[in-house]
């Protein structure tokens, strides 16, 4: 679609919507920004985006004038007004689709319930050590639309992709994709596991046999995707020695791209600066994506050995009074938070709770495995988690109204030799704008002790 002179509605006034507005304006489109929140400052939003702004209820008469709608990932695609737009035959794109259509270069795309940010960050570092023009974009906090105009034919775009972003792609086609794992998440948005899984699988829907999809052999859902996509598949495994793929074997990460040849040692896990089997899986996925793309293995080796991990993901903050504090604010669902618990090697006072994504917390609570002395709960889910903890036989829950009260309680309860872990198993919304702010508040509190 030639966007010059087209009337395009951008739905959602967040950071992605702002990026979409600017990109569309650069392409000569006539841009309207719509957001259902009528309390926003329309003049400020217009000044920031350069678009005509509509807030509150969307005017019916505007529909007939639209050539295209671009959805921000935070806006559900099944809203009545969006369904109405589709009924009118107006094309509805996601912001990822817009950036892809307007940008240049090749895409390396990563999705999955957990591990996306670590894998994307590591792959981005590998690519920056191998190529001149590299962009790390997407759900990692840098909207693809904000850099699409800077991309070149020789650019490599490393993209972290959420299910929200993937459910509204049309032609988006990564050269290499990866689905790291699938566990229940965002069911308040997708409604069923089937719809959530399909959104993740859609990362490969436009790939052909000339492209590659990296899949987790240890995840039953992702393993099953191999039979449903057209891309060439390469598996990674933390528990099986694969005939072909990349796998963990007695502490060694082995890359075996050809079943008829010997495997190649990438590194040993003790050479890595990030801990835990889940992180070894993230490393294998990033290594496989880079190797398939043609990056020299020595560049890959050097990068993975020097990679220090991601802020807010089982991040050591400080030791105060013999108590070690870890920030795992990125643990925004039960499965991610289980990884945080598994990484602890001492008695732990745990902060949990937050926004209600309709998650089930029983498996998370069962993963405590005697490590958690107290569970200090906050947010909309605190009563639900307390109930489910009791059902699992865990009764040492303390409910607090504010984050600061929860931190005060943790400091009181923690003994020398203990850990205090922020790994909430819930999103931050309702108390914080995002998990980064939540993690930063945790670190600020700890460093002031």
């Amino acid at each position: 679609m030639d966007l010059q002179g087209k009337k395009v509605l951008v739905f959602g006034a967040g950071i992605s919507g702002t990026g979409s507005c600017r990109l569309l304006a650069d392409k000569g489109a006539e841009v309207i920004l719509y957001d259902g929140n009528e309390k926003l400052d329309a003049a400020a939003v217009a000044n920031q985006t350069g678009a005509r702004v509509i807030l509150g209820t969307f005017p019916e008469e505007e529909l007939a004038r639209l050539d295209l709608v671009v959805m921000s990932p935070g806006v559900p695609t099944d809203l009545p007004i969006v369904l109405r737009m589709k009924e009118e035959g107006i094309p509805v794109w996601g912001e990822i689709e817009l950036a892809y259509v307007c940008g240049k270069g090749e895409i390396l795309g990563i999705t999955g319930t957990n591990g996306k940010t670590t894998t994307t960050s590591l792959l981005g570092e590998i690519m920056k050590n191998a190529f001149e023009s590299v962009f790390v974009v997407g759900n990692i906090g840098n909207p693809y639309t904000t850099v699409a105009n800077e991309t070149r034919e020789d650019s490599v775009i490393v993209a972290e992709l959420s299910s929200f972003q993937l459910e509204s792609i049309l032609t988006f086609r990564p050269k290499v994709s990866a689905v790291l794992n699938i566990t229940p998440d965002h069911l308040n948005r997708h409604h069923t596991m089937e719809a959530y899984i399909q959104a993740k699988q859609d990362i490969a829907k436009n790939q052909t046999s000339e492209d590659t999809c990296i899949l987790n052999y240890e995840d039953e859902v992702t393993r099953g995707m191999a039979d449903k996509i057209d891309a060439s598949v390469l598996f990674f495994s933390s528990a099986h020695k694969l005939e072909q793929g990349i796998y963990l074997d007695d502490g060694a990460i082995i890359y075996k791209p050809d079943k008829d040849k010997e495997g190649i040692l990438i590194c040993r896990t003790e050479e890595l600066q990030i801990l835990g089997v889940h992180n070894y899986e993230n490393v294998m996925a990033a290594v496989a994506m880079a190797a398939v793309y043609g990056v020299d293995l020595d560049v890959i080796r050097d990068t993975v050995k020097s990679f220090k991990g991601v802020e807010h993901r089982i991040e050591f903050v400080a030791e105060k009074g013999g108590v070690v504090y870890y920030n795992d604010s990125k643990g925004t669902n039960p499965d991610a938070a289980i990884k945080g618990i598994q990484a602890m090697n001492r008695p732990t006072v745990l902060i949990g709770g937050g926004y209600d994504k309709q998650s089930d917390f029983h498996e998370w609570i069962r993963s405590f495995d005697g490590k958690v002395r107290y569970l200090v709960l906050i947010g909309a889910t605190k009563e639900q988690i307390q109930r489910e903890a009791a059902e699992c036989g865990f009764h040492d829950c303390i409910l607090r109204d504010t984050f600061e009260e929860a931190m005060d309680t943790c400091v009181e309860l923690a003994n020398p030799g203990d850990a205090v872990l922020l790994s909430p198993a819930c999103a931050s919304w309702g108390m914080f704008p995002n998990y980064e702010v939540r993690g930063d508040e945790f670190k600020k509190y700890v460093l002031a002790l």
Side-chain angles (χ1 to χ4, degrees):
M1 181 187 285
D2 179 8
L3 294 167
Q4 182 70 41
K6 295 290 193 292
K7 291 181 174 60
V8 184
L9 178 79
V10 174
F11 201 140
I15 185 172
S16 294
T18 300
S20 295
C21 287
R22 289 176 178 162
L23 178 57
L24 286 161
D26 288 344
K27 296 299 179 184
E30 183 182 323
V31 187
I32 305 162
L33 178 62
Y34 169 64
D35 197 293
N37 182 4
E38 56 191 17
K39 295 179 181 177
L40 292 175
D41 184 334
V45 174
N47 186 55
Q48 187 179 22
T49 61
R52 178 162 69 92
V53 177
I54 298 174
L55 301 177
T57 302
F58 189 76
E60 186 80 11
E61 62 271 17
E62 292 282 350
L63 287 174
R65 303 183 187 134
L66 299 179
D67 296 306
L68 174 67
V69 176
V70 175
M71 302 292 293
S72 298
V75 181
T77 54
D78 58 356
L79 291 177
I81 186 60
V82 181
L83 298 177
R84 180 90 170 83
M85 291 165 176
K86 291 178 178 178
E87 285 170 9
E88 291 295 316
I90 305 166
V92 177
W93 294 2
E95 47 99 24
I96 292 292
E97 179 72 16
L98 173 66
Y100 177 73
V101 167
C102 294
K104 298 173 182 174
E106 291 189 310
I107 313 285
L108 305 178
I110 296 157
T111 195
T113 305
N114 299 305
K116 296 188 294 297
T117 300
T118 299
T119 306
T120 302
S121 299
L122 174 54
L123 183 60
E125 291 301 308
I126 294 170
M127 290 297 154
K128 287 173 184 175
N129 289 333
F131 299 100
E132 183 182 317
S133 177
V134 177
F135 298 87
V136 181
V137 303
N139 197 56
I140 201 164
N142 183 28
Y144 188 4
T145 47
T146 61
V147 301
N149 268 346
E150 301 171 39
T151 57
R152 315 182 311 214
E153 293 296 342
D154 65 342
S155 292
V156 178
I157 297 94
V158 180
E160 177 185 331
L161 299 163
S162 70
S163 56
F164 295 179
Q165 292 168 314
L166 289 168
E167 69 179 354
S168 53
I169 59 170
L170 296 173
T171 63
F172 176 79
R173 176 186 170 188
K175 183 64 183 170
V176 186
S177 66
V179 187
L180 304 178
N181 46 62
I182 301 285
T183 55
D185 198 16
H186 299 301
L187 297 186
N188 57 327
R189 166 78 170 257
H190 296 289
H191 307 303
T192 67
M193 266 305 287
E194 290 75 18
Y196 177 60
I197 291 167
Q198 187 61 56
K200 294 293 192 186
Q201 186 178 304
D202 278 350
I203 195 172
K205 76 175 182 178
N206 296 312
Q207 288 189 293
T208 72
S209 58
E210 297 177 5
D211 309 312
T212 305
C213 182
I214 310 298
L215 295 172
N216 186 350
Y217 189 81
E218 300 311 316
D219 186 299
E220 186 178 344
V221 176
T222 56
R223 189 168 65 242
M225 288 180 182
D227 300 324
K228 300 170 186 172
I229 59 178
D230 295 327
S232 299
V233 170
L234 193 73
F235 285 111
F236 66 90
S237 173
S238 56
H240 289 83
K241 192 172 177 179
L242 302 175
E243 278 190 18
Q244 185 176 10
I246 185 165
Y247 57 89
L248 191 60
D249 183 24
D250 194 26
I253 292 176
I254 307 293
Y255 176 54
K256 197 169 185 286
D258 190 326
K259 63 176 64 175
D260 297 322
K261 293 182 180 176
E262 286 293 310
I264 304 162
L265 175 66
I266 299 298
C267 65
R268 297 196 60 82
T269 54
E270 58 260 32
E271 297 178 279
L272 298 173
Q273 298 189 51
I274 52 178
L275 305 174
V277 172
H278 67 289
N279 271 327
Y280 305 152
E281 291 181 339
N282 297 334
V283 168
M284 287 189 283
V287 168
M289 294 183 78
V292 163
Y293 194 71
V295 178
D296 183 271
L297 292 183
D298 284 334
V299 172
I300 294 174
R301 286 190 186 97
D302 290 345
T303 309
V304 299
K305 290 177 186 178
S306 64
F307 182 66
K308 290 182 165 61
V310 175
E311 189 180 19
H312 306 298
R313 196 68 185 102
I314 320 176
E315 175 192 9
F316 171 78
V317 178
E319 181 173 339
K320 299 278 186 168
V323 177
V324 181
Y325 292 83
Y326 289 95
N327 165 30
D328 191 39
S329 186
K330 189 81 169 63
T332 58
N333 59 62
D335 193 64
I338 286 171
K339 305 296 193 299
I341 290 294
Q342 290 172 339
M344 294 298 103
N345 57 4
R346 56 178 70 205
T348 300
V349 179
L350 175 63
I351 302 177
Y355 180 78
D356 187 0
K357 290 196 287 184
Q358 298 178 18
S359 298
D360 182 293
F361 298 98
H362 289 86
E363 199 65 33
W364 174 54
I365 293 153
R366 283 192 281 266
S367 77
F368 292 177
D369 196 27
K371 290 182 188 176
V372 176
R373 291 181 55 230
Y374 294 98
L375 175 58
V376 182
L377 293 167
I378 55 175
T381 55
K382 60 186 177 185
E383 285 89 2
Q384 177 194 345
I385 294 174
Q386 184 182 41
R387 283 195 306 273
E388 294 186 18
E391 290 165 8
C392 295
F394 185 92
H395 301 284
D396 293 317
C397 294
I398 300 166
L399 276 56
R400 291 292 181 259
D401 291 328
T402 69
F403 189 71
E404 188 172 3
E405 287 173 7
M407 289 300 302
D408 291 343
T409 300
C410 290
V411 172
E412 290 169 16
L413 292 173
N415 299 321
D418 287 356
V420 170
L421 171 66
L422 170 68
S423 188
C426 297
S428 62
W429 310 317
M431 296 185 81
F432 301 96
N434 51 52
Y435 72 82
E436 292 98 335
V437 173
R438 178 171 63 188
D440 288 342
E441 285 299 312
F442 178 83
K443 291 192 285 185
K444 191 189 303 180
Y445 182 104
V446 170
L447 294 174
L449 287 173

